[in-house]
């Protein structure tokens, strides 16, 4: 009986609790799930917090408006079922608070509680509440047991909250949310019902993930692109961020997740309403072969050396996946990273192919946007966050400005 019930639960979780496919659902916010490293010697920033009969409150910003929403919750990398006693959503206000009157109970097959099996995921019932583009929502998950999460997104780009003991999912006040972190736990998507909307997925590594963008300020280049689209009157396009810091095109990492090639379908092509993908990936593939090996948890392993030809073959496989699904796929050139001469030569070979091959449906020249005219292997000073690799907030805006708006107008029939 237990085995049969678990099988039924897995079936329900995989299909969103039997929710029929409905035209008009569009991904409005996304964060790619990652496995929490399980090494005993993992540094503190790679350890997820214990949740002990407490409520997680996470802040998200849908990038397109809608008349209803639904939540996606993932237990992909966990080895035990995840029990949620209650889930709510409301319009966020201040530090961990919700605007009174906007708090809504979220159900799963009509029930407030849900059990997500190991490796599973659920999609909530529709929540009939209006969604305003870029207005912050607070999603609260009450966890009645003691759990150390194994599914997260390490870098949320903002502060999220963990409560004192108990179910505080219905609290409008933020007073109970005493603890803070910069992760996203379990929550990996918000969809909205939008009559004419569609989604573009920005997928890549730490530059897309926003590793050094200002915390809580929504300054990552996909954020800046979303604002630019709305300013141009293109308000039916959601911009989903599927970046993972440290990610590579061709190789998995114990810390930085599956390779982009392996996760491409799940994190890009499977998003509701997706019509286009923008890919920025490859600099870590070029770099990690020369990173010094570490004892214990080595986040950069395998230290595999890749050529421009290896990366080009990987790009071609992404293109084939996207086109087989009828999705446009655009590339961004690799930005300067002050690389040694041999690695810089690979970056330039890759960029030359991206610009000239015609293999992608279009190319955004991020390299040209950020490179120093006097030292083209380096970032221009105003675009440098300080480490020579990751863009500043101003640099992220330059990247967003380098994305052709024609891609979105043509897809929308404008």
């Amino acid at each position: 009986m237990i085995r049969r019930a678990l099988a039924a639960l897995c079936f329900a979780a995989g299909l969103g609790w039997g929710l029929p496919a409905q035209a008009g659902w569009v991904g409005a916010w996304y964060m790619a799930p990652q496995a929490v490293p399980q090494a005993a010697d993992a540094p503190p920033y790679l350890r997820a917090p214990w949740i002990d009969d407490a409520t997680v409150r996470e802040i998200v910003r849908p990038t397109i408006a809608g008349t209803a929403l639904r939540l996606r919750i993932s237990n992909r990398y966990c080895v035990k079922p995840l029990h949620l006693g209650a889930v709510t959503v409301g319009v966020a206000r201040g530090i961990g608070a919700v605007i009174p009157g906007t708090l809504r109970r979220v159900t799963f097959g009509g029930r407030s509680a849900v059990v997500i099996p190991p490796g599973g995921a659920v999609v909530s019932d529709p929540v009939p509440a209006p969604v305003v583009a870029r207005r912050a929502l607070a999603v609260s998950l009450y966890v009645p047991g003691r759990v150390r999460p194994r599914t997260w997104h390490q870098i949320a780009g903002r502060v999220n909250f963990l409560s004192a003991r108990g179910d505080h999912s219905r609290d409008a006040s933020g007073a109970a949310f005493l603890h803070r972190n910069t992760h996203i736990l379990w929550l990996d998507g918000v969809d909205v019902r939008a009559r004419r909307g569609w989604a573009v997925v920005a997928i890549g590594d730490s530059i897309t993930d926003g590793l050094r963008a200002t915390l809580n300020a929504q300054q990552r280049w996909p954020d800046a692109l979303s604002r630019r689209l709305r300013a141009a009157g293109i308000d039916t396009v959601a911009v989903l961020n599927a970046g993972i810091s440290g990610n590579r095109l061709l190789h998995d990492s114990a810390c930085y997740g599956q390779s982009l090639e392996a996760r491409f379908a799940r994190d890009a092509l499977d998003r509701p309403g997706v019509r286009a993908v923008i890919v920025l990936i490859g600099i870590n593939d070029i770099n990690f072969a020369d990173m010094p090996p570490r004892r214990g948890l080595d986040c950069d392993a395998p230290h595999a050396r890749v050529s421009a030809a290896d990366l080009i073959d990987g790009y071609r496989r992404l293109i084939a996946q996207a086109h087989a699904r009828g999705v446009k796929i655009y590339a961004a050139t690799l930005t300067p990273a002050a690389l040694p001469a041999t690695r810089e030569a690979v970056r330039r070979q890759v960029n030359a192919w991206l610009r000239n091959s015609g293999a992608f449906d279009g190319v955004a020249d991020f390299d040209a946007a950020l490179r120093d005219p006097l030292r083209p292997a380096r970032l221009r000073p105003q675009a440098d966050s300080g480490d020579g690799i990751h863009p500043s907030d101003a640099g992220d805006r330059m990247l967003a400005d380098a994305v052709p708006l024609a891609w979105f107008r043509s897809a929308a029939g404008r």
Side-chain angles (χ1 to χ4, degrees):
M1 286 294 293
I2 293 175
R3 198 171 289 176
R4 185 179 300 170
L6 184 57
L9 182 62
C10 289
F11 178 78
L15 294 184
W17 294 96
L19 187 68
Q22 297 185 44
W25 285 110
V26 178
W29 174 89
Y30 185 66
M31 277 210 172
Q34 299 171 252
V36 178
Q38 296 303 302
D41 57 351
Y45 67 88
L46 288 175
R47 296 180 184 177
W50 280 101
I51 313 297
D52 188 2
D53 185 38
T55 305
V56 175
R57 179 162 283 178
E58 303 182 318
I59 310 301
V60 303
R61 286 183 181 268
T63 56
I64 190 174
T67 58
L69 66 87
R70 62 187 186 185
L71 305 181
R72 295 176 176 269
I73 303 172
S74 174
N75 198 31
R76 173 174 296 276
Y77 298 106
C78 298
V79 296
K80 297 180 180 179
L82 172 63
H83 296 251
L84 299 178
V87 179
T88 63
V89 62
V91 178
R93 181 181 71 174
I95 301 175
V98 177
I99 294 177
T102 68
L103 205 60
R104 299 287 185 271
R105 184 172 69 105
V106 179
T107 59
F108 303 84
R111 299 186 175 121
S112 296
V114 64
V115 179
I116 310 174
V122 293
V123 181
S124 77
D125 300 331
V127 179
V131 177
V132 176
R134 305 202 60 81
R135 177 185 288 176
L137 301 176
V139 177
S140 301
L141 313 175
Y142 169 52
V143 184
R146 178 172 168 81
V147 177
R148 192 156 204 178
R150 289 196 176 199
T151 302
W152 71 349
H153 187 91
Q154 183 199 348
I155 298 172
R158 65 158 304 109
V159 172
N160 289 309
F161 305 93
L162 176 62
S163 76
R165 289 179 66 90
D167 180 2
H168 295 279
S169 62
R170 295 174 179 82
D171 290 10
S173 167
F177 293 90
L178 305 175
H179 310 288
R180 302 177 188 182
N181 61 68
T182 54
H183 317 303
I184 287 282
L185 304 176
W186 300 303
L187 182 68
D188 71 349
V190 177
D191 306 335
V192 302
R193 186 178 282 144
R195 187 169 59 89
R196 295 186 299 116
W198 58 279
V200 57
V201 178
I203 191 166
D205 52 33
S206 56
I207 294 176
T208 299
D209 200 16
L211 178 61
R212 290 175 66 91
T214 299
L215 192 69
N216 288 342
Q218 295 79 53
Q219 292 296 322
R220 302 167 298 179
W221 76 260
D223 297 320
L225 177 60
S226 177
R227 289 192 295 271
R228 181 171 175 237
L229 292 176
R230 292 188 65 79
I234 305 172
D235 59 0
T236 58
V237 180
V239 181
L240 306 184
N241 190 329
I244 294 179
S245 292
N247 206 214
R248 284 180 277 187
L249 174 62
L250 302 175
H251 293 93
D252 298 348
S253 163
C255 307
Y256 309 136
Q258 288 182 292
S259 71
L260 190 145
E261 183 180 358
R263 69 186 182 90
F264 185 61
R266 181 189 75 228
D267 287 344
L269 304 181
D270 292 345
R271 297 304 93 216
V274 64
R275 292 190 194 173
V277 182
I278 304 173
V279 177
L280 173 61
I281 195 73
I283 205 72
N284 293 324
D285 296 77
I286 295 170
N287 260 338
F288 281 11
D290 294 292
M291 296 297 103
R294 296 178 175 87
R295 291 181 179 272
L297 180 63
D298 185 353
C299 292
D300 303 332
H303 297 262
R305 192 166 302 282
V306 301
S307 66
D310 294 328
L311 289 170
I312 290 166
D313 287 344
Y315 296 141
R316 289 190 185 279
R317 291 191 292 270
L318 297 186
I319 293 166
Q321 285 190 62
H323 286 171
R325 299 276 288 270
V327 173
K328 294 282 189 181
I329 181 168
Y330 304 108
T333 53
L334 303 183
T335 54
L339 301 176
T342 54
R343 282 179 262 166
E344 174 65 7
V346 175
R347 185 185 76 91
R348 292 193 182 195
Q349 290 167 30
V350 167
N351 281 349
W353 182 84
L354 292 174
R355 292 186 182 104
N356 300 316
S357 69
F360 282 89
D361 293 304
V363 178
D365 202 339
F366 282 11
D367 170 52
L370 296 194
R371 69 182 178 227
D372 187 332
L374 299 179
R375 300 179 301 167
R378 297 177 179 272
L379 295 172
R380 62 180 70 209
Q382 65 270 38
D384 190 348
S385 67
D387 67 358
I389 299 173
H390 299 93
S392 61
D393 292 353
D396 277 314
R397 291 191 293 274
M398 294 175 192
L399 295 183
D401 288 345
V403 177
L405 293 183
W407 294 351
F408 308 96
R409 291 194 172 112
S410 61
R414 296 171 68 99

